[in-house]
Amino acid sequence: MNRIVFGLVLLFSVAVSAQKIGVKKDIILIDKVAIPVKIETENRATKTMGDYDILYSFTNTNSSELFLQINSIGRMLVPNGAKESWLEISNADLSKTNAIDIDPDYGVSKKKIISFLINKLEFFDLAGNVNTDKINAFLETTTESKAKAVVNKAKNQGKELEAKVAAINPFVQQDLSITKGGRMGTEVIGSVTSPNEYHETRSTPIQVYDVDGNLIATATTDIQSPVMVTLQNGSSFDYKAKRQLSKVTKQEFLTELIGELIKKGNSPW
């Protein structure tokens, strides 16, 4: 008897997962048949290239009632690195929200998220019947997203490092001396040698020196590539510059480089 029950459950699971999910004019399709659930998509602006923030709103077309909102979020903590991705699932008025990690068995695409809602969370079925009890129970139970926690920790650390840089407020002057106290600062704490354009760093790397003329670090960059920094102890790191190195942006670019060195704690400042 148990084998029969297990076989039926397995057969049902395979049948459900085999359903072809589609979206046409915002209406969800199951095996090319429309169900009474509408999904609207809003791509929100992000500050960093490679990040994404997509809001999916789900409406019961029979009642025109918005019953679910899902924010699919991805953040890249290091240039060209892996993304930390998660879902923030909310009720219609956003008064209740739970964050949950992306299930690797499903993924982050729109169709995969719909499949996740149907097959894993069971928020609505293949006929489009909304299960408000399942949704309410999920939102009443606090969940934790490890990916979101990692990003929040990085944000907090970032604020501490920004404060560290702000306390020194370095600025690279036109003569490429590094001063403390911003553009109007007069206390020289080091110097830089640098070409005017990013592509020139391939043959002539940027060089950063302390106030005594000791080499601290070298750096290279290229178009759409992170800035690669090598320290005198042989270690290295990279970061995504806000603006690329050019004759016009040279001081801004180099000032950001000094800030990144201060953040890493591998400078005399």
Side-chain angles (χ1 to χ4, degrees):
M1 181 65 181
N2 288 337
R3 290 182 179 179
I4 294 174
V5 172
F6 175 77
L8 290 173
V9 170
L10 180 61
L11 180 63
F12 176 76
S13 300
V14 171
V16 169
S17 62
Q19 299 293 333
K20 185 176 181 180
I21 294 173
V23 177
K24 185 176 182 180
K25 295 182 179 180
D26 295 338
I27 299 299
I28 295 175
L29 309 176
I30 305 296
D31 287 340
K32 299 182 180 181
V33 178
I35 64 172
V37 178
K38 181 179 182 180
I39 177 172
E40 294 178 284
T41 306
E42 177 187 347
N43 289 285
R44 297 174 166 181
T46 57
K47 294 181 179 180
T48 305
M49 184 181 296
D51 290 354
Y52 63 85
D53 192 338
I54 307 172
L55 178 65
Y56 297 111
S57 301
F58 293 82
T59 302
N60 183 333
T61 58
N62 288 333
S63 62
S64 298
E65 179 185 1
L66 176 68
F67 66 89
L68 191 68
Q69 298 203 65
I70 295 181
N71 210 15
S72 178
I73 300 172
R75 295 290 182 265
M76 188 180 293
L77 298 182
V78 295
N80 302 322
K83 287 187 179 71
E84 297 291 344
S85 305
W86 70 95
L87 301 177
E88 293 188 354
I89 302 176
S90 308
N91 57 359
D93 63 4
L94 303 177
S95 61
K96 295 179 180 179
T97 300
N98 252 345
I100 185 171
D101 285 325
I102 299 294
D103 190 318
D105 291 335
Y106 291 89
V108 298
S109 71
K110 181 189 294 187
K111 293 178 183 179
K112 295 293 187 181
I113 289 174
I114 293 171
S115 178
F116 178 65
L117 296 178
I118 294 173
N119 300 325
K120 185 71 177 285
L121 298 184
E122 299 179 346
F123 284 176
F124 54 93
D125 61 20
L126 295 172
N129 299 305
V130 179
N131 192 330
T132 54
D133 290 338
K134 287 276 189 180
I135 295 173
N136 291 335
F138 174 83
L139 292 173
E140 291 295 338
T141 304
T142 302
T143 59
E144 295 182 0
S145 164
K146 292 180 180 178
K148 184 178 181 180
V150 168
V151 171
N152 286 339
K153 183 178 179 180
K155 282 183 178 179
N156 292 333
Q157 290 175 338
K159 290 178 181 178
E160 294 175 0
L161 295 175
E162 290 293 346
K164 184 178 179 181
V165 175
I168 299 172
N169 195 11
F171 187 81
V172 176
Q173 303 291 344
Q174 284 188 342
D175 65 358
L176 299 188
S177 62
I178 306 167
T179 57
K180 181 179 180 180
R183 183 184 295 272
M184 303 306 293
T186 58
E187 181 184 347
V188 177
I189 59 175
S191 63
V192 186
T193 62
S194 172
N196 290 327
E197 302 291 338
Y198 63 84
H199 59 85
E200 295 174 340
T201 65
R202 301 171 195 163
S203 57
T204 309
I206 300 164
Q207 295 181 312
V208 182
Y209 298 88
D210 65 17
V211 71
D212 296 319
N214 299 308
L215 183 63
I216 298 171
T218 60
T220 60
T221 185
D222 210 334
I223 189 167
Q224 296 184 338
S225 297
V227 181
M228 306 297 298
V229 183
T230 302
L231 305 172
Q232 282 304 94
N233 62 9
S235 63
S236 62
F237 67 91
D238 59 51
Y239 68 94
K240 186 71 174 178
K242 294 175 183 177
R243 299 185 69 179
Q244 192 51 277
L245 175 63
S246 70
K247 191 172 183 179
V248 175
T249 64
K250 188 172 182 177
Q251 286 179 266
E252 180 183 350
F253 177 90
L254 295 174
T255 296
E256 183 183 7
L257 169 60
I258 303 307
E260 292 297 323
L261 283 168
I262 293 172
K263 288 178 185 179
K264 290 297 181 181
N266 294 105
S267 73
W269 310 302

